[in-house]
């Protein structure tokens, strides 16, 4: 049976808690996408567009807000 030192165990717990800046931005981008989608469904095109733009700012590699922004612009006849 292997034994672990006491110094190893706290590092295991701490490493699971560490969250990177890009992970936070990705989560926020998803939140803005969801909020924008609700606004789009409710007919608030300006609010939806602002939220989709914010999602793109937070995570430029996330494709969904680009698509959703295109839907808003289509409805605005832009």
């Amino acid at each position: 049976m292997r034994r672990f030192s006491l110094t190893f165990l706290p590092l295991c717990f701490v490493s699971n808690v560490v969250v990177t800046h890009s992970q936070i931005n990705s989560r926020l981008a998803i939140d803005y996408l969801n909020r924008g989608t609700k606004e789009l469904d409710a007919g608030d095109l300006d609010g939806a567009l602002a939220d989709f733009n914010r999602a793109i700012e937070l995570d430029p590699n996330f494709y969904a807000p680009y698509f959703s922004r295109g839907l808003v612009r289509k409805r605005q006849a832009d």
Side-chain angles (χ1 to χ4, degrees):
M1 184 166 129
R2 284 184 100 175
R3 291 185 176 214
F4 296 99
S5 70
L6 292 177
T7 58
F8 176 75
L9 290 176
L11 291 176
C12 291
F13 294 119
V14 171
S15 67
N16 289 333
V17 175
V18 174
V19 178
T20 66
H21 185 66
S22 92
Q23 288 172 324
I24 292 170
N25 282 353
S26 294
R27 182 64 227 169
L28 285 172
I30 291 169
D31 291 342
Y32 274 101
L33 174 67
N34 290 335
R35 191 168 89 173
T37 301
K38 289 177 185 175
E39 290 173 341
L40 179 61
D41 290 341
D44 180 10
L45 300 180
D46 292 331
L49 186 62
D51 284 340
F52 297 144
N53 285 334
R54 183 66 180 131
I56 290 167
E57 289 173 13
L58 288 166
D59 189 357
N61 296 319
F62 186 28
Y63 72 91
Y66 290 100
F67 179 81
S68 297
R69 186 172 67 178
L71 291 175
V72 171
R73 289 189 173 160
K74 182 178 181 195
R75 288 189 186 177
Q76 290 176 329
D78 184 12

